[in-house]
Amino acid sequence: MKWQRKITTALERHTGLRIERVSKTSGPAKPVVPAKKASDVSFRPPADPEADRLLRAPVFVISPVRSGSTLLRSMLNSHPDLHAPHELHVRRLGVDFGTNLAEKAMAALGHNKADLEHLLWDRVLHRELVRSGKRYIVDKTPANAFAFERLAACWPDARFVFLLRHPASIATSWHEASPDRRTPEEAAKDALRYMKAVERARKALPGLTVRYEELTADPERTLREICGFLAIAWEPAMLNYGTPEVVTKGLGDWKDKIRSGQVQPGRELPGPEEVPDVLKGMARTWGYLP
């Protein structure tokens, strides 16, 4: 029946499962093969960067959660050449062929699923940049650390700024952000996932590494270093970034320190005895512990 086929097709599309009638003579049922996840899809650089990409030299701040990325993006956004909006989460935008014919048609044009997703990501970011009237877009979504390889493949000319912070300070801030959702121990373990991803990206990609503690202690020096890396002129207005246009939980930091519009002193660094055991290895890797 047509309605049965429609239900089966919809179920397979959204869950990866398919219902099949098993006859008495057909033997044991075939194992169910789950649908491919986005991470399973092969990706590659654009076949023709000039034709396939509208965006030029995007900037990605790769950092763990609670590392000061909203402060940095607010300061960068105050530069006349840089548009640094709230967290964009473009890596979560996916493409669904819908039918086998659509997939075959795109394959005939040379596109796989990842290629089409990259075109979508590029179009979304390019539109946002054009509307801003600036030269370069900056995205600081912390979860980008888990997709750095795809970002580098999507935009071969992308620039990367790695923002580090004392691991124990990150964990404490992550717990304080939602104390009802995670204990201090759970916050440390969860934040460590981001730190490990950032470290993998630092090892794999060229870029500039800066530290939150240096950004808050001597913002001009750190910002001048970033401007030099991005080959743009230093802009004193970056030191008084004003009130961010978007201060919303889930899209960046929403605390009063960010709302102030000026750089506030960072919290006092924890002593070695205050660093949870689970974070000591990363603290040593990042130079916060001997």
Side-chain angles (χ1 to χ4, degrees), residues 3-22:
W3 67 268
Q4 291 175 323
R5 288 197 296 271
K6 289 182 179 179
I7 292 175
T8 300
T9 300
L11 180 65
E12 182 179 14
R13 182 184 305 161
H14 294 290
T15 68
L17 303 177
R18 182 177 180 85
I19 298 175
E20 294 185 357
R21 178 182 296 175
V22 180

PDB file of all heavy atoms in Angstrom, residues 3-22:
ATOM      1  N   TRP A   3       0.365   4.116   1.531  1.00  0.00           N
ATOM      2  CA  TRP A   3       0.558   4.747   2.842  1.00  0.00           C
ATOM      3  C   TRP A   3       1.598   4.012   3.661  1.00  0.00           C
ATOM      4  O   TRP A   3       2.343   4.618   4.433  1.00  0.00           O
ATOM      5  CB  TRP A   3      -0.770   4.823   3.592  1.00  0.00           C
ATOM      6  CG  TRP A   3      -1.356   3.481   3.999  1.00  0.00           C
ATOM      7  CD1 TRP A   3      -2.227   2.714   3.301  1.00  0.00           C
ATOM      8  CD2 TRP A   3      -1.079   2.765   5.220  1.00  0.00           C
ATOM      9  NE1 TRP A   3      -2.525   1.566   3.976  1.00  0.00           N
ATOM     10  CE2 TRP A   3      -1.832   1.571   5.172  1.00  0.00           C
ATOM     11  CE3 TRP A   3      -0.274   3.022   6.326  1.00  0.00           C
ATOM     12  CZ2 TRP A   3      -1.807   0.635   6.192  1.00  0.00           C
ATOM     13  CZ3 TRP A   3      -0.256   2.087   7.344  1.00  0.00           C
ATOM     14  CH2 TRP A   3      -1.014   0.907   7.285  1.00  0.00           C
ATOM     15  N   GLN A   4       1.702   2.693   3.487  1.00  0.00           N
ATOM     16  CA  GLN A   4       2.723   1.928   4.204  1.00  0.00           C
ATOM     17  C   GLN A   4       4.119   2.279   3.705  1.00  0.00           C
ATOM     18  O   GLN A   4       5.057   2.400   4.485  1.00  0.00           O
ATOM     19  CB  GLN A   4       2.461   0.432   4.030  1.00  0.00           C
ATOM     20  CG  GLN A   4       1.207  -0.055   4.764  1.00  0.00           C
ATOM     21  CD  GLN A   4       0.914  -1.507   4.468  1.00  0.00           C
ATOM     22  OE1 GLN A   4       1.107  -1.990   3.349  1.00  0.00           O
ATOM     23  NE2 GLN A   4       0.443  -2.218   5.472  1.00  0.00           N
ATOM     24  N   ARG A   5       4.247   2.454   2.379  1.00  0.00           N
ATOM     25  CA  ARG A   5       5.548   2.828   1.829  1.00  0.00           C
ATOM     26  C   ARG A   5       5.966   4.201   2.314  1.00  0.00           C
ATOM     27  O   ARG A   5       7.140   4.465   2.590  1.00  0.00           O
ATOM     28  CB  ARG A   5       5.500   2.778   0.289  1.00  0.00           C
ATOM     29  CG  ARG A   5       5.450   1.366  -0.280  1.00  0.00           C
ATOM     30  CD  ARG A   5       5.828   1.363  -1.749  1.00  0.00           C
ATOM     31  NE  ARG A   5       4.881   2.113  -2.552  1.00  0.00           N
ATOM     32  CZ  ARG A   5       3.793   1.586  -3.103  1.00  0.00           C
ATOM     33  NH1 ARG A   5       3.524   0.286  -2.930  1.00  0.00           N
ATOM     34  NH2 ARG A   5       2.984   2.328  -3.833  1.00  0.00           N
ATOM     35  N   LYS A   6       4.999   5.128   2.396  1.00  0.00           N
ATOM     36  CA  LYS A   6       5.314   6.478   2.861  1.00  0.00           C
ATOM     37  C   LYS A   6       5.807   6.458   4.300  1.00  0.00           C
ATOM     38  O   LYS A   6       6.781   7.129   4.659  1.00  0.00           O
ATOM     39  CB  LYS A   6       4.082   7.370   2.736  1.00  0.00           C
ATOM     40  CG  LYS A   6       3.711   7.719   1.304  1.00  0.00           C
ATOM     41  CD  LYS A   6       2.502   8.645   1.275  1.00  0.00           C
ATOM     42  CE  LYS A   6       2.153   9.019  -0.163  1.00  0.00           C
ATOM     43  NZ  LYS A   6       0.963   9.914  -0.208  1.00  0.00           N
ATOM     44  N   ILE A   7       5.132   5.678   5.145  1.00  0.00           N
ATOM     45  CA  ILE A   7       5.545   5.599   6.543  1.00  0.00           C
ATOM     46  C   ILE A   7       6.932   4.978   6.657  1.00  0.00           C
ATOM     47  O   ILE A   7       7.801   5.442   7.401  1.00  0.00           O
ATOM     48  CB  ILE A   7       4.519   4.792   7.371  1.00  0.00           C
ATOM     49  CG1 ILE A   7       3.202   5.576   7.460  1.00  0.00           C
ATOM     50  CG2 ILE A   7       5.058   4.483   8.760  1.00  0.00           C
ATOM     51  CD1 ILE A   7       2.096   4.816   8.159  1.00  0.00           C
ATOM     52  N   THR A   8       7.169   3.903   5.896  1.00  0.00           N
ATOM     53  CA  THR A   8       8.471   3.237   5.937  1.00  0.00           C
ATOM     54  C   THR A   8       9.584   4.171   5.464  1.00  0.00           C
ATOM     55  O   THR A   8      10.659   4.248   6.067  1.00  0.00           O
ATOM     56  CB  THR A   8       8.449   1.973   5.053  1.00  0.00           C
ATOM     57  OG1 THR A   8       7.446   1.087   5.543  1.00  0.00           O
ATOM     58  CG2 THR A   8       9.801   1.269   5.089  1.00  0.00           C
ATOM     59  N   THR A   9       9.311   4.922   4.394  1.00  0.00           N
ATOM     60  CA  THR A   9      10.314   5.864   3.871  1.00  0.00           C
ATOM     61  C   THR A   9      10.624   6.960   4.866  1.00  0.00           C
ATOM     62  O   THR A   9      11.783   7.326   5.088  1.00  0.00           O
ATOM     63  CB  THR A   9       9.813   6.487   2.554  1.00  0.00           C
ATOM     64  OG1 THR A   9       9.589   5.442   1.603  1.00  0.00           O
ATOM     65  CG2 THR A   9      10.843   7.465   1.991  1.00  0.00           C
ATOM     66  N   ALA A  10       9.569   7.508   5.497  1.00  0.00           N
ATOM     67  CA  ALA A  10       9.779   8.576   6.488  1.00  0.00           C
ATOM     68  C   ALA A  10      10.557   8.064   7.688  1.00  0.00           C
ATOM     69  O   ALA A  10      11.448   8.736   8.211  1.00  0.00           O
ATOM     70  CB  ALA A  10       8.435   9.148   6.933  1.00  0.00           C
ATOM     71  N   LEU A  11      10.234   6.835   8.132  1.00  0.00           N
ATOM     72  CA  LEU A  11      10.938   6.246   9.273  1.00  0.00           C
ATOM     73  C   LEU A  11      12.407   6.051   8.955  1.00  0.00           C
ATOM     74  O   LEU A  11      13.297   6.364   9.768  1.00  0.00           O
ATOM     75  CB  LEU A  11      10.294   4.915   9.654  1.00  0.00           C
ATOM     76  CG  LEU A  11      10.914   4.150  10.838  1.00  0.00           C
ATOM     77  CD1 LEU A  11      10.729   4.956  12.116  1.00  0.00           C
ATOM     78  CD2 LEU A  11      10.296   2.772  10.980  1.00  0.00           C
ATOM     79  N   GLU A  12      12.703   5.563   7.761  1.00  0.00           N
ATOM     80  CA  GLU A  12      14.092   5.331   7.368  1.00  0.00           C
ATOM     81  C   GLU A  12      14.857   6.643   7.262  1.00  0.00           C
ATOM     82  O   GLU A  12      16.011   6.745   7.671  1.00  0.00           O
ATOM     83  CB  GLU A  12      14.130   4.606   6.030  1.00  0.00           C
ATOM     84  CG  GLU A  12      15.545   4.273   5.551  1.00  0.00           C
ATOM     85  CD  GLU A  12      15.543   3.524   4.235  1.00  0.00           C
ATOM     86  OE1 GLU A  12      14.482   3.491   3.570  1.00  0.00           O
ATOM     87  OE2 GLU A  12      16.588   2.979   3.872  1.00  0.00           O
ATOM     88  N   ARG A  13      14.201   7.696   6.754  1.00  0.00           N
ATOM     89  CA  ARG A  13      14.864   8.978   6.550  1.00  0.00           C
ATOM     90  C   ARG A  13      15.248   9.626   7.870  1.00  0.00           C
ATOM     91  O   ARG A  13      16.322  10.182   8.016  1.00  0.00           O
ATOM     92  CB  ARG A  13      13.948   9.922   5.764  1.00  0.00           C
ATOM     93  CG  ARG A  13      14.561  11.284   5.452  1.00  0.00           C
ATOM     94  CD  ARG A  13      13.547  12.171   4.763  1.00  0.00           C
ATOM     95  NE  ARG A  13      13.014  11.517   3.556  1.00  0.00           N
ATOM     96  CZ  ARG A  13      11.872  11.882   2.961  1.00  0.00           C
ATOM     97  NH1 ARG A  13      11.147  12.848   3.443  1.00  0.00           N
ATOM     98  NH2 ARG A  13      11.468  11.250   1.864  1.00  0.00           N
ATOM     99  N   HIS A  14      14.361   9.544   8.863  1.00  0.00           N
ATOM    100  CA  HIS A  14      14.579  10.280  10.103  1.00  0.00           C
ATOM    101  C   HIS A  14      15.270   9.465  11.197  1.00  0.00           C
ATOM    102  O   HIS A  14      15.831  10.030  12.121  1.00  0.00           O
ATOM    103  CB  HIS A  14      13.249  10.802  10.641  1.00  0.00           C
ATOM    104  CG  HIS A  14      12.616  11.840   9.769  1.00  0.00           C
ATOM    105  ND1 HIS A  14      13.132  13.112   9.637  1.00  0.00           N
ATOM    106  CD2 HIS A  14      11.534  11.792   8.939  1.00  0.00           C
ATOM    107  CE1 HIS A  14      12.392  13.811   8.793  1.00  0.00           C
ATOM    108  NE2 HIS A  14      11.423  13.032   8.345  1.00  0.00           N
ATOM    109  N   THR A  15      15.217   8.127  11.102  1.00  0.00           N
ATOM    110  CA  THR A  15      15.815   7.316  12.167  1.00  0.00           C
ATOM    111  C   THR A  15      16.887   6.372  11.669  1.00  0.00           C
ATOM    112  O   THR A  15      17.654   5.835  12.467  1.00  0.00           O
ATOM    113  CB  THR A  15      14.744   6.471  12.892  1.00  0.00           C
ATOM    114  OG1 THR A  15      14.245   5.469  11.986  1.00  0.00           O
ATOM    115  CG2 THR A  15      13.598   7.357  13.380  1.00  0.00           C
ATOM    116  N   GLY A  16      16.937   6.134  10.355  1.00  0.00           N
ATOM    117  CA  GLY A  16      17.899   5.171   9.837  1.00  0.00           C
ATOM    118  C   GLY A  16      17.396   3.742   9.908  1.00  0.00           C
ATOM    119  O   GLY A  16      18.101   2.813   9.533  1.00  0.00           O
ATOM    120  N   LEU A  17      16.164   3.534  10.389  1.00  0.00           N
ATOM    121  CA  LEU A  17      15.589   2.198  10.522  1.00  0.00           C
ATOM    122  C   LEU A  17      14.579   1.958   9.402  1.00  0.00           C
ATOM    123  O   LEU A  17      13.914   2.890   8.931  1.00  0.00           O
ATOM    124  CB  LEU A  17      14.907   2.043  11.883  1.00  0.00           C
ATOM    125  CG  LEU A  17      15.785   2.296  13.101  1.00  0.00           C
ATOM    126  CD1 LEU A  17      14.949   2.181  14.365  1.00  0.00           C
ATOM    127  CD2 LEU A  17      16.944   1.313  13.141  1.00  0.00           C
ATOM    128  N   ARG A  18      14.445   0.703   9.019  1.00  0.00           N
ATOM    129  CA  ARG A  18      13.493   0.366   7.949  1.00  0.00           C
ATOM    130  C   ARG A  18      12.707  -0.867   8.360  1.00  0.00           C
ATOM    131  O   ARG A  18      13.281  -1.858   8.815  1.00  0.00           O
ATOM    132  CB  ARG A  18      14.230   0.111   6.634  1.00  0.00           C
ATOM    133  CG  ARG A  18      13.284  -0.201   5.471  1.00  0.00           C
ATOM    134  CD  ARG A  18      14.039  -0.372   4.172  1.00  0.00           C
ATOM    135  NE  ARG A  18      13.140  -0.671   3.087  1.00  0.00           N
ATOM    136  CZ  ARG A  18      12.485   0.262   2.385  1.00  0.00           C
ATOM    137  NH1 ARG A  18      12.648   1.533   2.689  1.00  0.00           N
ATOM    138  NH2 ARG A  18      11.683  -0.075   1.399  1.00  0.00           N
ATOM    139  N   ILE A  19      11.401  -0.817   8.185  1.00  0.00           N
ATOM    140  CA  ILE A  19      10.528  -1.947   8.494  1.00  0.00           C
ATOM    141  C   ILE A  19      10.341  -2.779   7.238  1.00  0.00           C
ATOM    142  O   ILE A  19       9.970  -2.243   6.178  1.00  0.00           O
ATOM    143  CB  ILE A  19       9.164  -1.464   9.014  1.00  0.00           C
ATOM    144  CG1 ILE A  19       9.344  -0.662  10.318  1.00  0.00           C
ATOM    145  CG2 ILE A  19       8.226  -2.638   9.247  1.00  0.00           C
ATOM    146  CD1 ILE A  19       8.065  -0.051  10.825  1.00  0.00           C
ATOM    147  N   GLU A  20      10.621  -4.070   7.340  1.00  0.00           N
ATOM    148  CA  GLU A  20      10.426  -4.957   6.204  1.00  0.00           C
ATOM    149  C   GLU A  20       9.630  -6.168   6.646  1.00  0.00           C
ATOM    150  O   GLU A  20       9.808  -6.679   7.769  1.00  0.00           O
ATOM    151  CB  GLU A  20      11.768  -5.404   5.622  1.00  0.00           C
ATOM    152  CG  GLU A  20      12.580  -4.267   4.999  1.00  0.00           C
ATOM    153  CD  GLU A  20      13.833  -4.778   4.328  1.00  0.00           C
ATOM    154  OE1 GLU A  20      14.073  -6.008   4.412  1.00  0.00           O
ATOM    155  OE2 GLU A  20      14.561  -3.980   3.727  1.00  0.00           O
ATOM    156  N   ARG A  21       8.757  -6.619   5.764  1.00  0.00           N
ATOM    157  CA  ARG A  21       7.976  -7.823   6.058  1.00  0.00           C
ATOM    158  C   ARG A  21       8.863  -9.049   5.880  1.00  0.00           C
ATOM    159  O   ARG A  21       9.594  -9.170   4.900  1.00  0.00           O
ATOM    160  CB  ARG A  21       6.784  -7.908   5.108  1.00  0.00           C
ATOM    161  CG  ARG A  21       5.955  -9.175   5.322  1.00  0.00           C
ATOM    162  CD  ARG A  21       4.816  -9.231   4.327  1.00  0.00           C
ATOM    163  NE  ARG A  21       3.887  -8.133   4.545  1.00  0.00           N
ATOM    164  CZ  ARG A  21       2.847  -7.897   3.755  1.00  0.00           C
ATOM    165  NH1 ARG A  21       2.626  -8.654   2.695  1.00  0.00           N
ATOM    166  NH2 ARG A  21       2.046  -6.881   4.013  1.00  0.00           N
ATOM    167  N   VAL A  22       8.831  -9.936   6.841  1.00  0.00           N
ATOM    168  CA  VAL A  22       9.631 -11.168   6.787  1.00  0.00           C
ATOM    169  C   VAL A  22       8.692 -12.326   6.485  1.00  0.00           C
ATOM    170  O   VAL A  22       7.777 -12.616   7.265  1.00  0.00           O
ATOM    171  CB  VAL A  22      10.363 -11.410   8.124  1.00  0.00           C
ATOM    172  CG1 VAL A  22      11.180 -12.688   8.042  1.00  0.00           C
ATOM    173  CG2 VAL A  22      11.259 -10.221   8.436  1.00  0.00           C
TER     174      VAL A  22
END
